[in-house]
Amino acid sequence: MIRKLLIPLLLSGSITSTVYAQECEKLLSDGLYSFTKMTNTNSFSHDLRTYYLSETFKSDMKSGKWGASLTIPIKGVPFSIGANDSEDKFTELKTKLLSITELNIGAENAQMLLQSVPNTNLYEAYVNCVTKNGQNNLYGFIQGTNVETEDAVVFTIHYRPSSPGDSMPKVTSFNVYPAGALLSGKLDAGESLKGFTTLVTCKRPANEDVILTIQTDRGSFSSKASAQDNMTSTKEFPIGTIITSYLNYEQFNTVTKNHDKSPGGIFTSNKSKWAPCDGRPVPNSKFQILTSQVNVPDLRGMFVRGLNIFDPYQPVPAVAKEKGDPDTRVVGGYQGDAFQGHKHLNKDNIGVMIADKQAANSPRQRYTVEGTAAVNTEGKIPAGYGEPRISSETRPKNISVYYYIKIN
């Protein structure tokens, strides 16, 4: 049923070979089931209703796995439910679902429903498979798009014979690292590939990359899936990266799926991926493990400034004095605002300049009219460069943004 629903949605362009298309359809088998962890019986519509009635669906919905909202056709009437909807709204959905035994998902609703599934890698892998297998100039092993979830990875291997009479490759060695990660799809030495598309499913350890290597008499194939929580992985931003964003924290959490692994879909320092740079403690986070700092930097109201030395072991010229930081600092060190020290030249009562007579740094300036007492003008007298801008701090022109730091 899943395959029948997905195929009309995913087909784009012409497929030159029915055989290749059938091979690619292997990618669609139980795709929605594996994503939602639905109970797999012989009735998709019954399973879908059961899933929507479960606490798992409510948790998936609230954590953003179905996007901002989802529309479910019940008795031909669309019912929309959103990630931020109240408990009453979820109760209303359950009441409506309990009044039916199965959901009638017609062709007109299939695309609307399945476009909401966030497992876009599955769609991409299918389209990529069809596209590559339909190109006559490609033969031999072809890397497909791996389908990755939090817990597993499906390695997608395409093989296109160089001619219709070309036999399928015979395996000489098959290896998955780390040991014990393989779930299904093992190929024994001496065994030939059974089709043009081969799927190998593996568990995805938290802190280790999964590597698949296959040697055959027609060449070799290897592929890697980066670990979800690997601190050295280049798949995403490394731990400790600070970014600026126009999105507030709620919006940022939605688009980054920040709390997907966090119980209740709220911030937890050992599960959430990003934290606002507001000085909060993040115990047991990857950030603390790497930096030995419990708190993230507090950048509220702050500009960021580069240190004078980034790599003490690389012999690069020292930063010029006029460009560098005059203070010796460490990462995360706070530096207050200041105004460069200077002196004013003053005239005595007969108009002679008195050099080196120091005046205090102050937002006020002294202005004397001949024959009158000195008065405070509060720094508002123009000196030929426009109207002075007075504030309680010294600052450059700027716009305000949010800072977030990668902690896991």
Side-chain angles (χ1 to χ4, degrees), residues 105-392:
I105 307 296
E108 71 279 4
N109 294 317
Q111 182 169 351
M112 173 184 67
L113 171 66
L114 295 172
Q115 276 181 331
S116 302
V117 181
N119 192 355
T120 54
N121 281 347
L122 186 64
Y123 304 157
E124 182 185 353
Y126 176 81
V127 174
N128 190 45
C129 173
V130 172
T131 302
K132 287 185 175 180
N133 278 322
Q135 294 176 356
N136 294 325
N137 60 334
L138 291 176
Y139 61 89
F141 283 103
I142 303 168
Q143 171 69 64
T145 301
N146 296 334
V147 181
E148 300 182 15
T149 68
E150 286 186 17
D151 305 316
V153 56
V154 180
F155 290 101
T156 308
I157 309 150
H158 306 310
Y159 182 81
R160 183 179 175 86
S162 57
S163 66
D166 190 14
S167 60
M168 297 300 288
K170 184 175 292 185
V171 176
T172 56
S173 69
F174 177 93
N175 184 64
V176 170
Y177 175 87
L182 180 67
L183 291 176
S184 65
K186 185 178 186 301
L187 298 170
D188 295 321
E191 181 181 0
S192 296
L193 266 63
K194 296 180 175 63
F196 300 124
T197 297
T198 301
L199 305 179
V200 177
T201 305
C202 300
K203 290 184 292 187
R204 200 174 182 195
N207 296 301
E208 289 187 279
D209 296 341
V210 182
I211 303 172
L212 168 67
T213 305
I214 303 174
Q215 299 284 347
T216 76
D217 60 351
R218 300 298 177 89
S220 61
F221 174 89
S222 64
S223 185
K224 181 179 79 170
S226 298
Q228 282 281 84
D229 297 333
N230 192 342
M231 291 185 287
T232 62
S233 172
T234 58
K235 186 178 179 182
E236 295 182 345
F237 293 103
I239 305 301
T241 298
I242 294 175
I243 64 171
T244 57
S245 176
Y246 220 76
L247 303 180
N248 63 35
Y249 194 41
E250 182 178 354
Q251 295 166 332
F252 186 83
N253 289 336
T254 299
V255 299
T256 61
K257 299 183 179 179
N258 192 24
H259 304 322
D260 266 12
K261 296 183 180 180
S262 185
I266 60 175
F267 177 83
T268 53
S269 61
N270 63 333
K271 293 294 184 181
S272 296
K273 294 183 288 187
W274 295 87
C277 293
D278 55 7
R280 69 179 60 191
V282 287
N284 303 315
S285 64
K286 301 292 190 301
F287 174 81
Q288 184 199 12
I289 294 171
L290 279 174
T291 65
S292 299
Q293 296 185 32
V294 178
N295 296 76
V296 297
D298 191 346
L299 298 183
R300 291 174 294 181
M302 296 286 118
F303 298 97
V304 292
R305 184 176 190 176
L307 291 167
N308 288 337
I309 299 175
F310 293 160
D311 181 0
Y313 304 106
Q314 181 66 28
V316 296
V319 64
K321 183 177 179 180
E322 66 273 13
K323 293 182 178 179
D325 192 331
D327 298 338
T328 301
R329 304 170 64 197
V330 297
V331 66
Y334 170 75
Q335 186 181 55
D337 58 353
F339 196 77
Q340 185 180 17
H342 62 282
K343 295 179 180 180
H344 293 267
L345 294 176
N346 298 277
K347 295 181 180 180
D348 63 11
N349 56 3
I350 59 173
V352 177
M353 297 296 295
I354 304 174
D356 297 330
K357 183 174 181 181
Q358 192 164 330
N361 293 339
S362 170
R364 298 174 179 271
Q365 67 183 29
R366 191 69 82 172
Y367 182 72
T368 303
V369 178
E370 187 176 354
T372 64
V375 296
N376 287 328
T377 59
E378 299 182 351
K380 294 180 180 179
I381 300 299
Y385 303 99
E387 190 70 22
R389 294 172 295 279
I390 307 301
S391 184
S392 60

